[in-house]
Structures are given as structure tokens and as C-alpha cells.
Amino acid sequence: MTSIVAMSLVIGLIAVSIGVAIYSRRWSRTSSEFYVAGQNISWAQNALALTGDYLSAASFLGVAGAIAVLGIDKTWDGLGYFGGYIVLLALLAVPLRKVGKFTTSEVLTSRFKGSRSLRFGGMAGAVVISTFYVVPQIVGAGALLQLLMGWSYTLAVIIVGVLVIAYVTTGGMRATTYNQIIQGVVLWSVMLIILILTVTTFFGADLSGIFSIAEGIVPPQLASDLLMNDPNVPDFTQMSASQAVEFVSAKFPMEPNAITPGVFAPDWMNVMALAVGLVFGTAGLPHVLTRYYTVRKPKDARTSTIGVLLLIGGFYIMTIFVGFAAMYLLYPELMNYFLTGQSSIAVNMAVPLLAEKVGGQVLLGLAIGGAFCAILSTVAGLLITIGTTVSHDFYKEVINRNATDRQEVLVAKLAIVAMGIMGMVLGLGLANQNVSYLVTLAFGMAASIFFPVLFMTIWWRRYTRQGALATMLVGLIVSVIFVGAALVGSGAVLGIPVLINPALYSLPAAIVAGVVVSLLTDDVGDVDVFMNRAHGKD
């Protein structure tokens, strides 16, 4: 699929991102600038940057791509990502900005002063969540370069890893913010253009026509599984979209169609697990929470969140229509990718493939270039979060309390390099997973580790230091066990069925652990001062 036009647009957008990182280097020498851009980001800039951060591989490629191969079950991804910001706005955004300085752990130690165990627990949670969030971004970027350049997936992942490590260690949070603003505008605009061209060209400018057609389609991932060992499988590349859809529907008339629930989440427990993980996971994602420390005033945290809600709400509505349209228009290609062992392209590349079909090489280049650069900035934000918590919460507080700014930034950059390499290794092992699915697992971890401890720290006066530590440990252990079981294909853990997201088990377990331990202990920290600070006037 190598194209001079598409390649030129991709290279141009990457060059802009690298240029911004180099230009911003002058502001990345102090820890405050490197971690949170000196807290000089306006609410409007932060809203756009949060949007660009959120509309990464998981949203731009993964949500519409997952709908295209699995159908209506995957609309939960977009709904959950959106709903999570409502929880964040209502419960955490403003108190976090009032209390925090650089990291989530500082919110905890502002109440429970001098607690190294909470600092370390917060660091461990942030590293686990952020690393797991990095992996799908690298998977998506590798698949993009594989599609565009024809490279092997391994080579593509290595190039992506090296590029993003160089990018983030150069520019810090200010470069990441500016690039996220650019990428957010590009991705939102490209998705809108794809939707307009698709509906006007193939569906007579009738959005409802997309759903009418979807009623007669067996989701391609399900259909390919059913046909995998069939000796009479036709060459789908020689069929039109309507012919391919009619062939599969006639062969499997009793199978669910694209708007039938249950293809991905087969029962109510799985649906609830996914919903809980996505909604509460947003309020626990370390790299999202870090963005609230970059704004000037607490009220800016609230205002920027409202702006994000409007922007991502519109975006996820578009992905639903684009996903179902892609399922139909790309049905032969998706079936062929699945049946020929190229499932990584099928599950992640529906949006770029549709962009090429409706807008040619120019729109393909914008889609791939925008998505690739958004991946760079998202990974940058994640790696900065990892570097910040390792350096500020562990090195500065545990190893060297007298560390200079220069030493802190150096340790942060070394941590970034190490976690970038780890992300590359894990990305190679998870090549065939849908990026949106991988991100939902990271959301489940965040919902279990950080959301409950932050919520109870900010809102419950009886919460104790020991209860906070128990909350994080139980949430971390239970979520990691069930995520690991899901990835290796295990059906149960100690007789408990493995669901598509761990949060239905791990979030209640973390809350129960925190409540029980708090009721048995007495160290509520500097609760009066903390509550006045968190809930006082802006």
C-alpha cells in the first residue's frame, strides 16, 4: 500500500511533531517544566490536549475498527470512554488540581504525610497502568507502518519505539501538550471528513441507512472463525461488498448480525465488567490525571473537562457510524485479512482502509499520519507519567531526598527509555490484539488501583493510611491476575470465570479492602487541612 502521497503526508506530520519537540526543548530542563509544563497551560489548551491524548490509537483506530469486525458490542468502548469523563468531572477533577502538584501519589501524601509506602504504591500502580496503556499504542503504530510501508511488524515496532523514546526525552510535557493539540484537531477533522464522504458517496446521505444494512451482516471476525476450516472458502477479494455479505449471511443464517448484542460480551456480567472498567477507569488513568496538574487554576480543570466532553462526545458518535459503514464497505477485505492470518490489520486498520476507499491517497495519508502522530504524543504522555512517578515519587522521596532538578530529570529520562523498551517487547507479543481491547484492560486496572483510592481519600474522612495502601494493593493484584488470565486465554481463576474486563471483580475487592482496613485502623492523616484544601473555594 506504499504511496508517495500518503507517505509524504505521514512524514510531514511526523516532522511537525519532532520539530515541536525540538523547539520545546528549551522549556524541558527543570522538573516542573518537564513534568507538567510549569503549570502554564490554559484551560482551552488543556481541553484540546486532553482530546488529542484521548483520541489515540485506541479511539481513532480501535473503536471504529472494533465495531467494524465485531458489531454493536464494541460501541460500549466509546460510550465508556465518554462516560468516564463525566465521573472525572463530577468527582475528581477540581480536588485533584487543588491538591496535586506533579503526580497522583502527591494527592495521597498530601493527606497522609511522609508515607513512603503510599508513594511507592502509587508509583507501582502508575507504572503498571501506563505500561499496559503504552502497548496498544505501539501495536497500533506498528500496524500502521506495516500497512503503509509494507515493512514487517517487528521492524515497524522497533522504529516506532526508538522514535517515541527520542521524542519524549527531548521535548517533555510542553512539547507533548502542543502536539496533542495538533493531533486532536487533525484526528477529529479526519474522522468527520471520512464520515461525510462515506455517507454521501455510499449511503445516499442517509445515516440510518448504515444501520439498515448492518442488520444483514454477520460480523467479519465471527464469520471468519466459522469459515476458518471450511475447504470451500471463496476468494473474498474477488467479491463486491454486497456479494461477500450475502454469501456469509446465506451460509450462516442463524448467526448474530452486526447489531445483535453478545458477539463480544456474551452475557450481562461481561457487559457490566466492560462498563465498570471503562467508566471508572478514565478517572484513574495516571496520564489523564497528570494533565490536571498542568493548568493554572483549579477552575481550569473543571472547564477543560467540559470542553473535552463536548469534543470526544462528538467524536465517538462519529466512530459508531464509521465503524458500521466500514464493516459493510470493507467486508471482503476484512474477511480476507482474517482468513489469511493478517488479523492485526483487520482488527486495527479499518479506518485507514475506509479513508483510502472514500478519499484516496490524500485522506489515507492524513488518517495514517494523524493517527501515527497521535500515538507518538499519547505514548509521550504515558512515558512522561512513568518517568515522573519513578523519579519524583521513588528516586526523590526514597533514594535521594537531596536530588537536584537536573538529577530528577535525568532519572525520569532513564525510566522513560527503560519503559519504552519494555513496551516494544510487549507490543511484539500482542500483535494480533485489537488496540481498543488492550486499552480497555488498562482501564480496568486504573479503575481498580487509582480510582477507589483517590475517591475515598478525597471524599471519606474516616479513610486511613493503611486502608489506602490496602486499596491499591488489592486492586493491583486482583486486576493483574485477571488481565493475565484473559490474555493467555484462561477461562477461570480458582473457579471464578474470567471476564472481558477485570474491573467487576477488582474494583469492588479494592473498595472492600480499603473500607475494612480503614475501619480497623485509626491513622486518618491530616484530614482537616486536606479536606479544606480539596473542597475549599477555588
Side-chain angles (χ1 to χ4, degrees):
M1 182 164 290
T2 302
S3 157
I4 299 298
V5 175
M7 282 180 56
S8 298
L9 287 167
V10 171
I11 292 171
L13 286 168
I14 292 174
V16 169
S17 295
I18 298 299
V20 169
I22 294 172
Y23 175 75
S24 301
R25 188 177 183 182
R26 69 185 72 181
W27 294 299
S28 64
R29 292 183 174 88
T30 68
S31 58
S32 176
E33 279 290 350
F34 190 81
Y35 298 155
V36 294
Q39 296 188 325
N40 285 319
I41 303 302
S42 70
W43 74 264
Q45 290 174 325
N46 200 46
L48 288 168
L50 275 165
T51 301
D53 195 4
Y54 222 50
L55 304 186
S56 60
S59 294
F60 186 75
L61 300 176
V63 173
I67 293 172
V69 300
L70 286 166
I72 199 167
D73 277 6
K74 298 304 291 181
T75 59
W76 266 109
D77 290 9
L79 292 172
Y81 296 152
F82 175 78
Y85 263 102
I86 297 177
V87 172
L88 187 56
L89 172 64
L91 300 178
L92 297 180
V94 174
L96 282 174
R97 176 58 189 86
K98 289 181 178 179
V99 174
K101 183 178 179 183
F102 290 153
T103 69
T104 301
S105 295
E106 286 192 317
V107 176
L108 305 179
T109 53
S110 291
R111 175 170 172 176
F112 307 110
K113 295 187 181 300
S115 178
R116 292 190 176 188
S117 59
L118 286 179
R119 283 268 189 180
F120 185 80
M123 182 206 71
V127 169
V128 170
I129 295 166
S130 299
T131 300
F132 213 86
Y133 206 118
V134 164
V135 172
Q137 313 304 321
I138 292 178
V139 170
L144 280 169
L145 290 185
Q146 184 183 21
L147 177 67
L148 180 66
M149 304 297 294
W151 294 342
S152 70
Y153 177 77
T154 300
L155 176 62
V157 165
I158 292 172
I159 290 175
V160 169
V162 171
L163 184 61
V164 76
I165 289 171
Y167 166 92
V168 68
T169 54
T170 299
M173 179 57 85
R174 192 177 292 270
T176 299
T177 298
Y178 293 156
N179 275 315
Q180 285 169 345
I181 291 171
I182 295 170
Q183 271 90 61
V185 172
V186 170
L187 292 184
W188 209 98
S189 301
V190 169
M191 185 63 74
L192 178 61
I193 292 169
I194 291 173
L195 177 61
I196 291 173
L197 290 178
T198 299
V199 173
T200 55
T201 303
F202 295 99
F203 295 94
D206 179 16
L207 285 172
S208 64
I210 296 175
F211 291 104
S212 298
I213 291 177
E215 290 179 345
I217 304 175
V218 178
Q221 187 164 332
L222 172 62
S224 63
D225 289 342
L226 296 170
L227 289 171
M228 190 60 70
N229 297 315
D230 192 327
N232 300 314
V233 175
D235 182 357
F236 281 96
T237 61
Q238 301 302 311
M239 294 182 175
S240 66
S242 59
Q243 290 172 334
V245 167
E246 290 172 4
F247 171 82
V248 174
S249 298
K251 191 172 183 66
F252 304 108
M254 303 303 294
E255 294 298 329
N257 63 48
I259 60 173
T260 303
V263 174
F264 178 71
D267 51 53
W268 73 267
M269 285 187 68
N270 279 286
V271 173
M272 285 298 297
L274 184 60
V276 169
L278 294 180
V279 170
F280 294 103
T282 300
L285 288 174
H287 71 295
V288 170
L289 300 177
T290 296
R291 289 228 59 91
Y292 287 103
Y293 311 139
T294 67
V295 293
R296 297 166 184 164
K297 295 174 288 186
K299 68 178 182 180
D300 291 342
R302 181 189 301 112
T303 310
S304 59
T305 304
I306 294 172
V308 173
L309 282 169
L310 295 174
L311 290 168
I312 67 172
F315 183 87
Y316 288 127
I317 289 172
M318 291 190 288
T319 61
I320 294 173
F321 291 102
V322 168
F324 281 113
M327 178 187 288
Y328 174 69
L329 296 174
L330 301 175
Y331 201 82
E333 291 93 333
L334 295 174
M335 290 296 296
N336 182 64
Y337 283 130
F338 277 122
L339 293 171
T340 57
Q342 301 178 79
S343 57
S344 64
I345 295 178
V347 299
N348 293 317
M349 292 297 105
V351 170
L353 290 169
L354 183 61
E356 183 183 30
K357 182 178 285 290
V358 301
Q361 294 297 309
V362 172
L363 195 54
L364 171 67
L366 287 172
I368 292 182
F372 188 80
C373 293
I375 288 168
L376 292 184
S377 60
T378 298
V379 174
L382 291 162
L383 292 181
I384 286 175
T385 298
I386 292 173
T388 302
T389 192
V390 169
S391 178
H392 192 67
D393 293 328
F394 183 64
Y395 175 73
K396 174 79 171 177
E397 295 296 324
V398 178
I399 296 178
N400 184 6
R401 285 184 173 272
N402 297 317
T404 64
D405 260 11
R406 185 183 181 90
Q407 289 172 320
E408 270 199 76
V409 172
L410 176 61
V411 171
K413 290 182 177 181
L414 291 174
I416 286 166
V417 172
M419 299 314 297
I421 293 172
M422 181 180 292
M424 291 162 57
V425 173
L426 293 173
L428 291 173
L430 297 170
N432 294 326
Q433 293 284 353
N434 175 260
V435 293
S436 184
Y437 173 61
L438 292 176
V439 165
T440 62
L441 297 179
F443 271 65
M445 292 179 175
S448 310
I449 299 169
F450 277 151
F451 170 73
V453 73
L454 289 174
F455 175 73
M456 288 192 282
T457 296
I458 289 172
W459 293 101
W460 188 26
R461 298 180 67 89
R462 186 64 182 79
Y463 200 42
T464 67
R465 182 192 311 265
Q466 296 84 355
L469 186 59
T471 300
M472 288 195 291
L473 286 176
V474 171
L476 175 64
I477 292 169
V478 176
S479 62
V480 167
I481 288 173
F482 279 94
V483 165
L487 291 176
V488 300
S490 176
V493 174
L494 299 177
I496 302 173
V498 174
L499 306 176
I500 57 177
N501 193 283
L504 195 62
Y505 301 140
S506 50
L507 176 55
I511 292 174
V512 170
V515 170
V516 171
V517 173
S518 291
L519 293 177
L520 296 175
T521 53
D522 299 315
D523 185 0
V524 295
D526 196 0
V527 63
D528 291 328
V529 173
F530 177 86
M531 288 297 179
N532 286 336
R533 186 177 177 187
H535 303 292
K537 293 183 179 180
D538 292 357

